[in-house]
Amino acid sequence: MLRIAIATAALAAGATAGFAFEISSSSVSDGKWDKKYFADRIAGCDGGNVSPALAWKGAPAGTKSFALTLFDPDAPTGSGWWHWQVWNIPASTTGFAEGKIPEGAVQGKGDIGRPGYLGPCPPPGTGIHHYTFTIYALKTDKLDLDPMTASGAYIGYNLNGNAIAKATVVYTVPAQ
């Protein structure tokens, strides 16, 4: 019985060692974001509200589309803040250029109430914020979600229910 358990553990370790679904950004780094990536006046900041470049690799077999979210769990709301949700990203996509999303992708309205990206804008006195980019490899070609009425929680429910895998990277921004 012990041999079976050891063999099973070795097989599981070997099976996951080659699977490295990852996401990163060449535009931002931990604690260092150019002003152009920060939110604009709608959120009380004076940034350019340009979405950073993102890249991912190692998507699992069977991926039919991707979705991306940007979430700040440290926003002083009691429930965090959805900065960006993008879904119906074609499976052939391996990233976004700065300020762009692929044709056919859909952007939700996030917590600001308008579709698209909303950059960081941590309120004064709220400490360091952890901006979490998550890429989801999905088992479906499309999600039929209304970008103007779907809440962050409802989008998250659909993403997690259709995810084969997900990868996350966190970049911090100190409050101003």
Side-chain angles (χ1 to χ4, degrees):
M1 196 63 141
L2 181 58
R3 285 186 202 167
I4 293 172
I6 292 171
T8 302
L11 283 172
T16 58
F19 180 79
F21 189 32
E22 300 174 0
I23 183 171
S24 62
S25 177
S26 60
S27 297
V28 298
S29 60
D30 203 30
K32 296 180 183 170
W33 295 57
D34 189 276
K35 186 176 179 178
K36 68 182 170 183
Y37 303 118
F38 277 79
D40 55 14
R41 288 193 179 111
I42 196 170
C45 284
D46 61 354
N49 208 48
V50 174
S51 59
L54 296 166
W56 53 88
K57 63 182 180 179
T63 300
K64 293 186 178 179
S65 69
F66 293 102
L68 174 83
T69 61
L70 174 56
F71 182 72
D72 173 10
D74 305 307
T77 63
S79 60
W81 191 271
W82 290 103
H83 281 258
W84 200 19
Q85 306 101 0
V86 186
W87 60 92
N88 296 347
I89 303 166
S92 59
T93 306
T94 57
F96 294 169
E98 184 179 277
K100 307 233 182 252
I101 64 166
E103 189 174 325
V106 177
Q107 297 185 90
K109 64 181 173 71
D111 284 335
I112 201 69
R114 70 173 185 196
Y117 173 81
L118 178 70
C121 186
T126 60
I128 295 175
H129 288 239
H130 297 80
Y131 291 88
T132 306
F133 289 91
T134 303
I135 187 75
Y136 296 79
L138 302 177
K139 62 184 175 185
T140 184
D141 293 329
K142 288 188 154 215
L143 292 173
D144 187 25
L145 301 172
D146 183 331
M148 292 310 296
T149 61
S151 68
Y154 187 67
I155 293 167
Y157 174 80
N158 279 274
L159 297 182
N160 283 296
N162 285 285
I164 298 169
K166 59 184 175 179
T168 298
V169 65
V170 179
Y171 298 111
T172 60
V173 175
Q176 306 302 310

